[in-house]
Amino acid sequence: MKLEPGSVVRGVIGVDGGSTSSKAVLVDEQGEIVCKAYQLSKGNPIQDTKELLAQLREYIQSQGATLDVMGFGATGYAADVLQETMRADVNIVETVAHMMSAVRYFGDVDVICDIGGQDIKVLFMKNGDIANFRLSNSCSAGNGMLLQAMADQFGLRVTEYADTAFQAELAPKFSYGCAVFLDTDRVNFQKEGFSKEELLAGLAQVLPKTFGNTSCKSAFGVAGSALRFARRNAIQLGRREGASRLHQGTRTGRGGLRSSAHG
């Protein structure tokens, strides 16, 4: 958001002290996002928060404005620590924060899927409230650390993962259920000539499959709904011109990426 020099920005700050990354956002009195900050956690949530707050302040000051903080809220793994040390006005469980923000910005939401650093959470919504909830934390193949590690191997920042993966028109079919097997597949697919973009796209498709495979039988419906939800939004947000072209011997999926075991 562009600010007027000399203006006073009155708003609230929210910090998500996650297991692998920390996020902060400044929201004005009208509920609009003024600025935000993100960084990988360094093992000290207090220091991480100080650095995030410094980034927000620097953004405001760089435009010649002044910040007037009306409140501070915390969520995530480090919420309790931040509440005590930063004297947070509110400590909200992250699933509740997801629910409130999704309803606030998108209205009638059916499914919310949070791919975290240590686990995957899926919330089923009904009439603006949580109707059901599923959690999967049984394997590192089913959380954001997998994507983080793979992005690092390709020399990418995790924030560049989605844009890079959406450039692929072909995606290899990875095994699922174990991160060790996934890395073995990655090496083999690289030998077969799959590009970085194609490998990242294939790995991203593993997560909803892993959730359904490692949870109880009733959770298969959760995984299916989450997958349909993700695909629908991928089509809306990530479709690239020419991604629908057909290639001989391949099969087109709903998300604009084709699945192939051998390319």
Side-chain angles (χ1 to χ4, degrees), residues 3 12-15 23-27 33-38 49-63 65 67 69 72:
L3 305 175
V12 296
I13 293 177
V15 173
K23 290 79 67 178
V25 62
L26 172 63
V27 181
I33 295 176
V34 178
C35 58
K36 53 188 176 180
Y38 170 91
T49 301
K50 287 182 179 180
E51 294 177 5
L52 290 172
L53 296 179
Q55 292 180 47
L56 298 184
R57 181 179 59 187
E58 182 181 352
Y59 177 86
I60 299 298
Q61 293 179 346
S62 67
Q63 299 194 50
L67 177 60
V69 180
F72 177 81

Side-chain angles (χ1 to χ4, degrees), residues 39-53:
Q39 68 180 37
L40 295 178
S41 300
K42 301 175 182 178
N44 186 333
I46 299 175
Q47 184 61 35
D48 290 337
T49 301
K50 287 182 179 180
E51 294 177 5
L52 290 172
L53 296 179

Side-chain angles (χ1 to χ4, degrees), residues 62-131:
S62 67
Q63 299 194 50
T66 304
L67 177 60
D68 180 9
V69 180
M70 302 166 56
F72 177 81
T75 188
Y77 282 86
D80 292 339
V81 174
L82 296 179
Q83 183 178 26
E84 293 296 327
T85 58
M86 308 295 290
R87 296 186 179 180
D89 298 290
V90 62
N91 177 347
I92 301 179
V93 177
E94 57 192 284
T95 50
V96 176
H98 290 325
M99 178 196 71
M100 295 174 66
S101 60
V103 173
R104 164 68 173 80
Y105 289 101
F106 298 100
D108 187 17
V109 178
D110 297 318
V111 178
I112 300 172
C113 184
D114 171 22
I115 302 176
Q118 300 291 340
D119 52 39
I120 292 180
K121 305 177 187 70
V122 180
L123 289 74
F124 280 99
M125 305 289 295
K126 186 175 182 180
N127 299 325
D129 203 352
I130 298 177

